[in-house]
Amino acid sequence: MGFKKKMLDFEGQISDVESESDAETPILLRFPFLQLPSEIRLHIYHYVLFTPTRKSALKRTGNVGSSAKKSKPLAPSSHRIALFRVSRQIHDEAAHYFYSTQIFRVFPVQDFLRMPTVRALPRRHRSSITTIELIVGSSWTAPPKSWIVNQSLGLHDMELVRTLKVFVQCDPSQPAFEGFRISKEYYTDFCGKLLHQILERLPGLVQVEFDAWPSVEKNGPLMTRLLTETRDAQKKVLWGPDRGWTDTHDDHEKHDLTDADSAFDGLRAYSSDVVEALSNSLQIVTLGS
């Protein structure tokens, strides 16, 4: 029986039920959902997964990179769980749609984004992911020991990942960081090796999109190293919207950024506890003077 005929029969059953007496028990009807075109089913999955019922769900979490700015508000967990439990086919379709439309970070940064990092994702869902993001600059004096590219990260399972987004919070090789950094080349080498190892483990990666905070220079040591690693891996280079870089943009041109801008971006890359402690110390210095 064709889909159109089944829909006509379904509408006929509804008419029969509506014509019955209100005193009679209503008959539960089955809608041929799985016979809808896949495009319509995806629209329905999107509505169920990303339609919040509370205003608090509309508040954004995180403030760094595309993973924070483009994250969709989620429907209540009860709605999502109910959708995934309808049937095996609906579970697989809805789960694939959910994971393929999100941007997951490779490593965590302390901006309270609720979305898990790739290491925390169940292995069965890694093959659905299409976009991941690497944010560098956080803890530039002492990167977390957990920032290691190994088998447990699961990058080799992400066969559908086509885009890697790289967001640079600060470049510690700039003069403003003199006296605070381990060495001028330390963080540049750390980030370069990190990106090199990630690019090696993504089997289907096509392009890398770069973006940054205002003080980061496109021709600075850190960005130069990251671009070199990307081009050596024969990946296409794209530019994100925040920094405003293009293929013709030349950072050798004179700009208005100062060492203060670099220092501020470096400060923002730290955790909120460090910023608060520094703010308190500055207030003490001001009162003392």
Side-chain angles (χ1 to χ4, degrees):
M1 183 182 295
F3 175 73
K4 290 184 178 180
K5 188 173 181 181
K6 287 189 176 181
M7 287 298 296
L8 291 174
D9 292 343
F10 181 76
E11 292 174 358
Q13 294 177 46
I14 293 178
S15 300
D16 293 339
V17 171
E18 291 176 346
S19 62
E20 292 178 357
S21 171
D22 294 337
E24 296 182 6
T25 304
I27 301 174
L28 296 178
L29 305 177
R30 296 183 61 184
F31 181 80
F33 177 78
L34 292 177
Q35 295 185 34
L36 290 172
S38 59
E39 295 84 355
I40 297 179
R41 294 204 303 273
L42 292 180
H43 278 294
I44 296 173
Y45 295 150
H46 183 92
Y47 178 81
V48 177
L49 293 170
F50 302 113
T51 304
T53 58
R54 295 174 290 109
K55 290 184 178 180
S56 59
L58 296 173
K59 295 180 180 179
R60 295 186 180 276
T61 59
N63 57 12
V64 183
S66 295
S67 52
K69 296 176 183 177
K70 295 183 180 180
S71 59
K72 301 177 179 66
L74 297 177
S77 59
S78 58
H79 291 192
R80 288 176 277 147
I81 293 174
L83 175 64
F84 293 141
R85 295 180 64 182
V86 173
S87 71
R88 170 59 64 182
Q89 181 177 344
I90 290 178
H91 172 277
D92 292 345
E93 290 181 350
H96 178 77
Y97 178 78
F98 178 82
Y99 285 96
S100 66
T101 57
Q102 304 300 300
I103 301 175
F104 295 96
R105 292 177 178 175
V106 180
F107 299 112
V109 297
Q110 294 180 338
D111 68 335
F112 307 105
L113 184 69
R114 295 177 183 175
M115 194 65 65
T117 59
V118 297
R119 194 187 301 273
L121 296 175
R123 183 173 184 179
R124 65 183 179 277
H125 295 311
R126 292 173 184 170
S127 59
S128 298
I129 299 172
T130 60
T131 305
I132 61 176
E133 182 174 47
L134 172 66
I135 298 174
V136 296
S138 178
S139 303
W140 49 269
T141 55
K145 294 181 179 179
S146 60
W147 284 35
I148 300 175
V149 180
N150 53 21
Q151 195 79 359
S152 66
L153 202 58
L155 298 180
H156 57 283
D157 294 325
M158 301 179 188
E159 298 178 353
L160 289 184
V161 171
R162 299 294 181 264
T163 302
L164 168 64
K165 293 176 179 285
V166 178
F167 192 94
V168 183
Q169 293 179 289
C170 63
D171 183 355
S173 63
Q174 295 175 343
F177 297 88
E178 185 68 39
F180 300 94
R181 61 196 177 203
I182 296 177
S183 68
K184 185 176 181 179
E185 296 81 15
Y186 168 77
Y187 199 71
T188 298
D189 290 339
F190 172 79
C191 293
K193 293 176 182 177
L194 204 64
L195 180 59
H196 178 84
Q197 294 171 345
I198 292 173
L199 294 176
E200 280 186 329
R201 286 167 171 77
L202 290 172
L205 188 70
V206 175
Q207 57 199 18
V208 180
E209 178 185 291
F210 290 96
D211 214 335
W213 277 343
S215 69
V216 179
E217 297 180 352
K218 180 181 175 183
N219 294 323
L222 179 53
M223 275 301 303
T224 298
R225 174 65 181 274
L226 296 177
L227 288 170
T228 298
E229 294 290 349
T230 302
R231 288 165 177 153
D232 287 349
Q234 298 181 346
K235 307 302 179 184
K236 183 179 179 181
V237 174
L238 301 178
W239 308 109
D242 288 354
R243 190 62 177 83
W245 285 324
T246 64
D247 289 333
T248 58
H249 181 276
D250 188 357
D251 250 10
H252 287 305
E253 297 175 1
K254 196 68 176 177
H255 50 72
D256 296 330
L257 295 175
T258 64
D259 285 348
D261 296 305
S262 301
F264 180 70
D265 282 350
L267 184 61
R268 288 200 295 170
Y270 269 100
S271 68
S272 57
D273 294 339
V274 175
V275 175
E276 183 179 359
L278 180 57
S279 175
N280 293 336
S281 65
L282 290 175
Q283 291 178 8
I284 294 174
V285 171
T286 302
L287 292 174
S289 59

